[in-house]
Amino acid sequence: MIKTTLPVLILKGAILFPNSEIRLEIDSDSDKELLSLAESCYDKNILIVNQMDPLEETPDVLELPNVGVLGLIIMKLSLPNGRTRVVIKGIKRVKIDEYSKEDGNLVSSIEQINEERLEPLEEQAYVRSLVKQLEIFVENVPYMSNSILSQVSNITDIDQLTDIVSIYLNLSYERKLELLEECNPTVRVKMLLDDINKELRVIELEKELEQEVSKNIEQAQKEFVLNEKLKVIKEELGETNSKDDEVKLLKQKIDNLKCPSKIKERLNIELRRYETMPSSSPELGTIHNYIDWLLCLPWKVYSKDNTDLKKAKEILDNNHYGLDRVKDRIIEFLALRERTKNANSPIICFVGPPGVGKTTLAKSIAEATNRKWTKISVGGINDEAEIMGHRRTYIGAAPGKIIQGMKKAKTTNPVFIIDEIDKMTKDIKGDPASALLEVLDKEQNKYFSDHYIEEEFDLSSVMFICTANYIEQIPTELLDRLEIIELSSYTEYEKLNIARDYLIRDSLIEHDFKENQVVFTDDAILNIIRHYTKEAGVRELKRNIDTIIRKIVKEVVVTKREKRNYIIEEKNITSYLGQIKYDYNDNKEEYVGVVNAMSYTPFGGDILQIETAIYKGKNNIITTGSLGDVFKESIEIALSYIKNNYKLLKVNFTKLEDIDIHIHVPEGAVKKDGPSAGVAITTALISNLTNKKIPTDISMTGEITLNGKVLAIGGLKEKIIGAKRSNIKTIYLPKDNKKDLDEIDDYIKEGINFVLIDNYIEIYKDLFGDNNGK
C-alpha cells in the first residue's frame, strides 16, 4: 500500500465532499503558509479534515478524524484586505495513518481506500432507489430546489451520487461528518434514504398540524364575512368608503402620468389587485407602496441643458480655483451635446486625496449644466441589495439607492454623484461593485431593472460622476467603465489663492461680516498653510480660518465694539491659533544610516526618514514603524542587492555576516507600505555599512529590483510638493518618471535639482563614489 505525506488544512463549520468544490477566505498566516506549501511542494494537493467541534480554536490532534478528503487547489487569490481567497476541489476520500508536525505545519501520512466494487446491477438498483426517493422528497419539501434532479439524472456511479446528495440535503453538521467519514457507499445510501424518510414524515406531521390550525381560522373567516356585510350596510346608509376614494385618486394619477406604456399597464394591474383585495389583508400596504413608487419616479421628465458655454465656464470658475483639465472636459461634453444632440452622458470618476473638492466640483458641474443633482455614498456598503433593491416578497422591502436617488432628483437626466466607490466591501451578502457594473455601463444602463421596481428604468441620460481616493482600490471591471480624472494635491500657492478668493469670502458671509471687514495678508495665510495644516486639500485650512473669525466674533460680542477693519497678519496668528503644529523648515542633523525617502499619504506628499542600525547578531532583520508587507519585501530586496554586489559597492562582506539589521521609520502609529522606498532603504544600508553620512537636503524615491533597476513610482507631484516643503534641494527619481515630471508646473519644481536614474549604481557613484558631493 503506497503511503503519501500531505499538509493538512482543518476546516471549521464548512465541509468539503469529494466531487465538489468549496470557496474559502483565509486570514490566518499559518493557513496561508500551508496553502503556499501545498502549491510549491505538493503539486497543489492538500488534505482537508474537519474537527468535531467547530467552535474549538486549537483542536487536539488525537481528536482529528481518520478519514479525510484529498483536495486540489484550483484557484488562489490575494485580496486587498489581507485575506486569501482559495477554491479547493474534493477529489476522493483517503485513510489517515498518522498526524505529525513538519516545520511548524500539520502534515499527515495517508493511503488510498480500497473499496469493494458492487456488481453493475446491484449498483444500478441502489442508484435508482436513491434517485426515486429524492424525486419524492423534492416534490413534497417546499425548500428543496429541483436543480439537484438535473445534476443527478445522468450519474450512474453510486459513490459520486451519494456525495452530491449529501451536499444538498439540509442535514446537521454532525450528520454530514458521519456521511463524510463513511467509506462504504452502500452504507451511505442507506443513511441518506433514512434521512429522507425522516424528513418526509416530519413534513406529513406539519401538514396535519396545519389542518388543525385551519379549523381555528374558521371563526376568523366568520368575523370577516360579518365585517363585509357591515360595510355594505354602511354604504346603504350613505357612509363614505375611504378606499374607493383612494382608488379614484390613484386612477387619476395614473392617467396623468407620462411614462412608457408598459409601466402604465403594470400600474393598472397593481391597482386592480389593490381594489379587489380585502382591507384587512396584510398585502394591501405593500401594493400601495409599490404603486406610489412607480408614480413618483421621473419616467419622462427632462431638464433643459445649459447651452451657453461661456456661462457654464464662468460658473465653474466662480466655484473652483484651477482644475482646468476637469473644466475643459465638461465644456467639451456640453459642446458635443449641442452639436450632435446625443443624449448619452459620460461616466466620470474623480480620483484624488480627501479635501481637494471632488464632491463639490460634481455639484458645480450640475449647476453649470443646469441639471438637478443627487448624491449617494457607497462607502462601507457590503450588500448588493443596497444598489439593486430588495425583492418585494421581503418584509420592509425598498428600492435600491439608484432608484431612490432618481426619485430625489425628480428628473430623468440629473447629475448623479456616487461617492467613495473605492470603499465598497464584498462578503457573503454579495458584491455591490458588481451590481454597479450595469449602472455604469452605457450599453446596459438604458435597461436598468431594480429588484423592487421589476421594470426597466432608462439611466442612459444620467451623468454619473463617481469619486474615489485610491484608484488601485477600485475593482478592475468597474474601472474599465470609468473615465478617470485625477485631482492631485494643491500646492501652497494654489491653497493661498483658494483661501483668498473662496474660503475667506464664504467664512465672512457665514459669520455675518461685510466684505473686506476681516483682511488676511498673504503671509498670514501661508503661515496657516505651512504650520497649522497638513493635508492635500483645504478642509483644515477652512477650519483654521473659521476659528480666527469666530474669535473675532467673540471679541465683538464681549466688548460690544466692532472695528471697521480687522487685519490678520503673520505675527498675530499664534494669538488666534496657538503654537504652530507642524514645522518643516528645521535643518535636521546628518546621521550615518539615515536617508530621506518620499511618501504619498492621504494628507499629500511627505518626507519619511529611513533609519538603520547594524550590530552583531544572527542575521535577523528587525523592522519597526508599522511597515506593511510590500515595504518589508523592499528591505529584503535591498539587502540581497547589496550582498550580491558588495565588491562593486565597496562594502566589506565580513560586515554582512553574523549581524542583525534594524530598520525603523518614525511615526510608528502611521501605517506605511509600498515599494517606492527601495532606493532609499538601499542607500541607508550602504551609508551604515560604509560609515558615510547622506546630506539632509537630499531625498529619493523609486522601486529597486535585484539587478539594481529603478522602477517608476506614482504620486510624483504630491511627493515633490512634500519634499519642497521640507527644504529638499536634490531629488533622485526613476528615469521612467520623466514624462510625469514634465507635466508638473515649473513653479513647483523651482529650486530643486532633479537627478533621473535608471540603475541604482548611478546613485551610488553620486553619493559614495569619487563624485561624492558633486
Side-chain angles (χ1 to χ4, degrees):
M1 190 70 66
I2 299 175
K3 295 184 179 181
T4 307
T5 301
L6 284 179
V8 180
L9 178 64
I10 302 174
L11 294 186
K12 301 178 182 179
I15 296 178
L16 173 64
F17 281 91
N19 304 301
S20 67
E21 295 179 1
I22 190 170
R23 296 174 182 267
L24 303 171
E25 283 195 6
I26 293 173
D27 54 7
S28 168
D29 292 337
S30 59
D31 288 346
K32 292 178 185 177
E33 183 181 346
L34 192 73
L35 293 172
S36 300
L37 177 66
E39 280 192 316
S40 58
C41 302
Y42 294 93
D43 235 10
K44 297 186 178 181
N45 289 314
I46 191 168
L47 181 66
I48 307 297
V49 298
N50 288 85
Q51 59 190 59
M52 284 300 297
D53 185 1
L55 300 178
E56 181 66 36
E57 289 295 328
T58 55
D60 189 355
V61 174
L62 298 176
E63 296 177 358
L64 293 177
N66 296 323
V67 175
V69 176
L70 173 63
L72 177 66
I73 300 172
I74 61 176
M75 190 275 282
K76 193 179 81 166
L77 178 65
S78 297
L79 301 177
N81 59 6
R83 295 187 174 186
T84 297
R85 180 175 299 155
V86 63
V87 179
I88 302 175
K89 181 178 181 180
I91 306 300
K92 62 182 179 181
R93 289 176 177 80
V94 291
K95 183 181 178 182
I96 301 168
D97 288 330
E98 62 177 355
Y99 294 92
S100 59
K101 289 281 187 176
E102 187 175 297
D103 295 332
N105 294 313
L106 182 64
V107 298
S108 66
S109 176
I110 65 171
E111 62 183 45
Q112 186 173 350
I113 298 173
N114 292 324
E115 300 173 358
E116 295 183 7
R117 299 300 302 177
L118 299 173
E119 292 293 330
L121 291 177
E122 188 180 0
E123 184 173 15
Q124 185 179 6
Y126 275 111
V127 169
R128 283 188 179 181
S129 178
L130 182 55
V131 171
K132 182 178 179 181
Q133 200 67 7
L134 190 61
E135 289 174 350
I136 297 172
F137 184 72
V138 170
E139 184 179 351
N140 288 277
V141 178
Y143 63 79
M144 193 68 182
S145 172
N146 59 5
S147 60
I148 186 175
L149 297 177
S150 61
Q151 290 198 34
V152 303
S153 59
N154 297 321
I155 296 177
T156 58
D157 182 70
I158 188 173
D159 198 62
Q160 182 181 0
L161 178 64
T162 54
D163 287 334
I164 291 176
V165 174
S166 299
I167 296 169
Y168 277 88
L169 287 185
N170 186 20
L171 303 175
S172 65
Y173 177 79
E174 291 76 16
R175 184 61 170 175
K176 286 193 175 184
L177 283 183
E178 292 176 9
L179 288 165
L180 180 65
E181 293 173 9
E182 179 54 59
C183 300
N184 190 331
T186 59
V187 176
R188 289 204 301 273
V189 170
K190 295 173 183 177
M191 293 170 66
L192 288 170
L193 288 173
D194 187 42
D195 290 331
I196 290 173
N197 289 329
K198 284 181 181 178
E199 187 65 19
L200 287 173
R201 286 196 295 271
V202 171
I203 295 296
E204 289 177 2
L205 288 173
E206 286 180 352
K207 289 180 179 178
E208 292 176 5
L209 288 173
E210 287 175 2
Q211 290 176 0
E212 290 292 328
V213 172
S214 65
K215 295 178 182 178
N216 297 327
I217 296 177
E218 290 179 0
Q219 180 63 30
Q221 290 176 337
K222 181 180 178 182
E223 293 176 359
F224 170 76
V225 172
L226 292 173
N227 284 327
E228 289 297 313
K229 290 181 178 180
L230 184 60
K231 288 181 183 178
V232 174
I233 294 171
K234 287 183 177 180
E235 289 176 2
E236 291 295 329
L237 294 173
E239 295 183 8
T240 58
N241 190 324
S242 59
K243 183 181 174 183
D244 287 346
D245 293 340
E246 197 169 8
V247 168
K248 290 178 182 178
L249 182 61
L250 290 173
K251 280 182 178 179
Q252 186 178 355
K253 288 182 178 180
I254 292 171
D255 292 338
N256 296 333
L257 181 67
K258 294 181 179 179
C259 64
S261 57
K262 285 177 62 179
I263 303 303
K264 192 161 287 191
E265 183 180 346
R266 182 65 178 269
L267 278 167
N268 287 321
I269 291 172
E270 294 295 331
L271 185 61
R272 284 195 293 272
R273 285 184 62 203
Y274 179 77
E275 189 175 5
T276 58
M277 190 164 289
S279 300
S280 59
S281 173
E283 287 190 42
L284 201 67
T286 303
I287 297 173
H288 194 288
N289 287 339
Y290 180 67
I291 293 173
D292 282 344
W293 269 104
L294 290 180
L295 287 172
C296 68
L297 288 177
W299 295 101
K300 291 184 178 181
V301 181
Y302 293 89
S303 59
K304 187 177 180 181
D305 283 351
N306 173 32
T307 57
D308 189 343
L309 302 186
K310 290 183 179 180
K311 182 180 178 182
K313 184 70 165 60
E314 184 181 335
I315 292 172
L316 291 172
D317 288 338
N318 287 339
N319 292 340
H320 284 80
Y321 175 81
L323 305 177
D324 294 330
R325 181 187 168 194
V326 183
K327 294 174 182 176
D328 288 343
R329 178 65 187 87
I330 302 306
I331 300 303
E332 288 170 7
F333 160 70
L334 293 175
L336 182 65
R337 179 75 179 268
E338 177 64 18
R339 181 176 177 84
T340 63
K341 309 299 181 184
N342 187 356
N344 286 336
S345 298
I347 297 173
I348 298 171
C349 181
F350 295 145
V351 177
V356 296
K358 299 184 293 295
T359 305
T360 54
L361 178 61
K363 294 178 183 177
S364 297
I365 290 172
E367 184 181 349
T369 55
N370 194 35
R371 291 190 177 197
K372 302 286 185 181
W373 67 270
T374 185
K375 173 182 173 294
I376 64 171
S377 178
V378 294
I381 286 180
N382 62 349
D383 187 354
E384 62 181 19
E386 293 285 338
I387 305 294
M388 302 297 293
H390 302 83
R391 301 286 181 188
R392 280 199 290 156
T393 53
Y394 294 108
I395 296 174
K401 286 183 175 289
I402 301 299
I403 291 297
Q404 292 180 26
M406 295 304 296
K407 176 188 174 184
K408 293 177 184 175
K410 297 180 180 179
T411 59
T412 312
N413 61 334
V415 172
F416 201 120
I417 305 167
I418 305 178
D419 226 354
E420 312 291 358
I421 65 166
D422 57 332
K423 297 178 179 62
M424 291 181 287
T425 57
K426 180 180 180 180
D427 63 11
I428 193 171
K429 295 180 181 178
D431 183 7
S434 298
L436 276 179
L437 295 179
E438 180 185 359
V439 177
L440 299 180
D441 192 330
K442 293 181 182 179
E443 303 300 324
Q444 300 181 49
N445 62 13
K446 185 176 182 179
Y447 310 104
F448 173 74
S449 178
D450 184 274
H451 290 161
Y452 181 87
I453 300 299
E454 297 177 346
E455 295 290 344
E456 292 177 356
F457 190 92
D458 186 0
L459 296 175
S460 59
S461 300
V462 179
M463 181 188 287
F464 286 102
I465 299 180
C466 305
T467 71
N469 295 131
Y470 304 100
I471 191 171
E472 61 274 7
Q473 292 182 10
I474 303 174
T476 307
E477 61 275 11
L478 190 58
L479 191 64
D480 184 57
R481 289 160 167 78
L482 305 175
E483 180 178 339
I484 301 297
I485 298 179
E486 295 191 14
L487 278 68
S488 57
S489 303
Y490 292 123
T491 65
E492 288 183 351
Y493 296 102
E494 285 176 333
K495 291 180 181 180
L496 173 64
N497 285 316
I498 292 170
R500 191 169 50 200
D501 298 339
Y502 300 92
L503 303 183
I504 296 174
R505 177 196 66 189
D506 294 344
S507 189
L508 289 175
I509 294 172
E510 182 181 343
H511 292 87
D512 197 26
F513 278 106
K514 296 178 181 178
E515 188 178 356
N516 296 327
Q517 193 171 356
V518 180
V519 178
F520 287 75
T521 65
D522 289 354
D523 290 338
I525 299 172
L526 285 172
N527 190 11
I528 298 172
I529 293 169
R530 291 169 179 168
H531 301 300
Y532 293 90
T533 66
K534 186 178 182 180
E535 58 179 345
V538 291
R539 285 177 180 159
E540 187 66 23
L541 177 59
K542 175 68 164 62
R543 282 192 285 269
N544 280 293
I545 290 172
D546 288 344
T547 299
I548 293 173
I549 295 180
R550 279 199 307 271
K551 290 186 182 296
I552 295 174
V553 171
K554 176 185 173 184
E555 179 185 333
V556 170
V557 174
V558 171
T559 62
K560 296 184 179 179
R561 287 181 296 177
E562 186 170 350
K563 297 181 182 178
R564 180 172 295 179
N565 292 104
Y566 293 87
I567 308 297
I568 308 300
E569 298 180 311
E570 183 180 9
K571 62 184 179 182
N572 57 8
I573 289 295
T574 53
S575 63
Y576 289 106
L577 299 178
Q579 296 300 317
I580 62 175
K581 296 180 181 179
Y582 310 104
D583 192 0
Y584 304 97
N585 300 319
D586 54 336
N587 293 318
K588 302 177 179 66
E589 186 177 349
E590 294 180 3
Y591 295 97
V592 170
V594 178
V595 173
N596 292 326
M598 303 166 70
S599 69
Y600 175 67
T601 72
F603 308 107
D606 204 356
I607 291 296
L608 285 181
Q609 281 194 318
I610 309 293
E611 300 178 349
T612 61
I614 298 176
Y615 43 84
K616 286 186 177 181
K618 299 181 180 179
N619 292 322
N620 295 320
I621 298 177
I622 303 165
T623 59
T624 52
S626 296
L627 308 184
D629 292 339
V630 179
F631 201 109
K632 292 176 182 177
E633 288 177 358
S634 298
I635 296 172
E636 295 174 1
I637 293 170
L639 186 59
S640 296
Y641 171 75
I642 294 171
K643 287 181 178 180
N644 192 41
N645 299 276
Y646 72 94
K647 290 182 180 179
L648 182 64
L649 302 175
K650 297 180 181 179
V651 174
N652 187 352
F653 192 79
T654 57
K655 285 189 175 183
L656 295 170
E657 297 177 329
D658 301 326
I659 60 170
D660 284 350
I661 298 175
H662 188 164
I663 296 182
H664 175 67
V665 182
E667 298 185 15
V670 180
K671 182 77 174 177
K672 309 167 190 76
D673 206 359
S676 61
V679 293
I681 296 168
T682 308
T683 304
L685 288 171
I686 296 175
S687 169
N688 211 317
L689 292 166
T690 58
N691 201 31
K692 291 185 179 180
K693 298 178 180 178
I694 304 300
T696 59
D697 62 352
I698 289 177
S699 69
M700 57 191 68
T701 183
E703 179 181 353
I704 191 171
T705 69
L706 286 173
N707 296 319
K709 176 76 175 175
V710 181
L711 305 180
I713 48 86
L716 184 61
K717 180 181 177 181
E718 286 77 10
K719 291 180 178 180
I720 293 175
I721 292 171
K724 187 170 185 178
R725 185 173 53 196
S726 298
N727 288 330
I728 297 297
K729 303 301 181 185
T730 301
I731 297 176
Y732 290 90
L733 297 175
K735 194 173 183 179
D736 292 340
N737 280 115
K738 185 178 186 306
K739 60 182 182 302
D740 304 311
L741 187 65
D742 294 340
E743 293 179 359
I744 298 174
D745 294 330
D746 291 337
Y747 74 90
I748 298 176
K749 299 183 287 187
E750 186 179 356
I752 299 178
N753 176 34
F754 294 96
V755 182
L756 299 175
I757 53 173
D758 185 54
N759 193 285
Y760 180 78
I761 199 65
E762 300 171 34
I763 298 181
Y764 175 80
K765 290 178 180 178
D766 233 14
L767 298 179
F768 301 100
D770 296 335
N771 294 328
N772 187 14
K774 296 184 182 179

